[in-house]
Amino acid sequence: MAETRVVIVGVSGRMGQALVRVASEFPQVRITGAVASAGSTSLSRDAGVLAGQAPMGIEVTGDLPAALAAADVAIDFSQPYATRANIAACRGARKPLVVGTTGFAADLTEAELDAAAGEIPLLIAPNTSLGVALLTELVRRAGRALPPEFDIEVIEAHHRTKRDAPSGTALALARAAGEARGLAPSEALSATSGGRVGPRRDGEIGFAIVRGGDIVGEHTVLFAGLGEELRLSHRAGDRAIFARGALRAALWLLGRPPGRYGMSDIVHADHALG
Ligand SMILES: NC(=O)c1ccc[n+]([C@@H]2O[C@H](COP(=O)([O-])OP(=O)(O)OC[C@H]3O[C@@H](n4cnc5c(N)ncnc54)[C@H](OP(=O)(O)O)[C@@H]3O)[C@@H](O)[C@H]2O)c1
C-alpha cells in the first residue's frame, strides 16, 4: 500500500489533535508535518504528545512551506484569517489541500478560491463528516421535491467557544436547499441570521443558532408545510468523525486533477448515490 504523507495545519487545536489521534486508524497515512501559527505556544513540541499520545517524532512548526516540501497533501483546520496564506502556500508547493476551516468567506472571494483550484486539487468542506455530506444530498433532494409552500429553516447547535455563526455547515445546508429551489444565496439566506423578528419573507431560509457547553455539532433542516413537517438531522457526538472524514478526503484528493471539490464528490464516488 502506497504511503501518503500528510501535513496537519492547526495541529495544536481541537481538530488538529483529533487528526493526530485518528491517523493511526489509516495504515496508509503518515503524518510528516505538524503546523501551528508562527507565534504558537506549541512550537517545537512533539505533535503526538500534544495530542495526548506517545511521541511521534514530529515537532510542531510554524513553517508551512517547509512542511509541504516533505508531504503529499495538507489538511487545514486552523483559523479563518490563516486560510488565504495556507492556500497560497499549497498553491506555491503544488500540493492538494483539504480546507476544513470555516468562517473565511469575508477573507477570501470565490474567484480567489477558483484561481487556486485552477492549479491544485482543493477540497473545501465546512463539515468533513460523511453523514453530513449525505445529509446535504438529502436536503437537495427534499428542496427539489417539496413545493415552495414548505418553509425551510436551518437549526444548528455548537459548543460555547465556536467563533462563527451560523456555522459553515448550516450555511452550506441552506445554500443546498436554496439552490434546489433555484434561489441565489443572496435571495434565499435570511439576513437576520441570529434570529428573526416579524413574519418570514417568501422563499427565505432562516437560521436558529444555539451555543452552549461542549456540543460538538448538531444540524437540522426543517421543511415546514401546512399540517406536516419534515426534519432532516445530523448529530456529531465526537470530533473524531470530522477527523476521519478529513483524512479520507485527503486520501481521495491525492492524484485528482486541479479543481474545486467537496465532500459530496466523495459520497457520490464511494456509494453511487446518483
Ligand atoms: N470541517 C469540519 O468538519 C470542522 C469541524 C470542526 C471544526 N471546524 C473548523 O475548523 C477550525 C478549527 O477548529 P478547532 O475547534 O480545532 O479550533 P481551535 O481549537 O481554536 O484550533 C485552531 C488552531 O489553529 C491554530 N492556528 C492559528 N493560526 C494559525 C496559522 N496561521 N497557521 C496554522 N495554525 C494556526 C491555532 O494554534 P496556535 O495558536 O497554537 O498557533 C489553534 O490551535 C475552525 O474554523 C472550525 O470552525 C471544521
Side-chain angles (χ1 to χ4, degrees):
M1 187 182 302
E3 181 180 83
T4 300
R5 299 168 302 163
V6 178
V7 172
I8 298 174
V9 187
V11 73
S12 55
R14 280 168 293 224
M15 277 305 302
Q17 292 180 34
L19 278 157
V20 170
R21 286 193 288 269
V22 303
S24 58
E25 296 172 16
F26 294 75
Q28 65 277 55
V29 165
R30 187 158 68 89
I31 296 174
T32 54
V35 178
S37 66
S40 174
T41 52
S42 301
L43 294 183
S44 300
R45 290 192 62 193
D46 183 278
V49 173
L50 198 59
Q53 296 196 314
M56 55 192 284
I58 306 289
E59 280 190 4
V60 177
T61 171
D63 189 345
L64 176 56
L68 286 169
D72 301 307
V73 59
I75 302 176
D76 177 359
F77 281 89
S78 58
Q79 293 293 323
Y81 65 80
T83 308
R84 174 194 293 275
N86 294 339
I87 290 178
C90 290
R91 203 174 165 180
R94 290 283 190 273
K95 297 288 162 80
L97 171 65
V98 174
V99 178
T101 305
T102 62
F104 56 78
D107 300 288
L108 268 165
T109 65
E110 286 296 311
E112 287 174 291
L113 295 173
D114 284 342
E119 295 178 6
I120 58 169
L122 182 64
L123 190 146
I124 296 179
N127 193 309
T128 48
S129 126
L130 292 178
V132 167
L134 180 56
L135 172 66
T136 311
E137 294 304 304
L138 296 174
V139 165
R140 274 204 187 93
R141 288 185 180 194
R144 277 197 297 267
L146 293 170
E149 290 75 49
F150 280 75
D151 295 323
I152 305 175
E153 297 274 321
V154 180
I155 305 151
E156 62 108 326
H158 282 89
H159 53 90
R160 61 192 306 162
T161 61
K162 183 159 179 66
R163 291 177 176 82
D164 47 328
S167 70
T169 305
L171 288 166
L173 288 166
R175 278 196 199 98
E179 278 162 22
R181 288 212 165 152
L183 300 167
S186 56
E187 290 176 73
L189 270 51
S190 165
T192 54
S193 58
R196 179 183 286 111
V197 184
R200 58 180 296 127
R201 282 187 290 122
D202 281 347
E204 175 184 64
I205 298 174
F207 297 90
I209 297 159
V210 177
R211 290 286 176 268
D214 61 356
I215 301 170
V216 176
E218 296 175 12
H219 293 90
T220 295
V221 181
L222 166 68
F223 294 83
L226 298 175
E228 61 178 323
E229 283 175 14
L230 172 67
R231 287 171 189 260
L232 299 174
S233 294
H234 178 270
R235 193 181 72 80
D238 184 338
R239 254 176 211 93
I241 64 161
F242 306 122
R244 285 190 196 102
L247 282 166
R248 199 167 160 156
L251 292 171
W252 182 88
L253 198 57
L254 204 61
R256 306 267 154 199
R260 277 281 283 273
Y261 300 98
M263 291 302 287
S264 63
D265 294 310
I266 297 175
V267 174
H268 279 282
D270 281 7
H271 303 293
L273 253 184

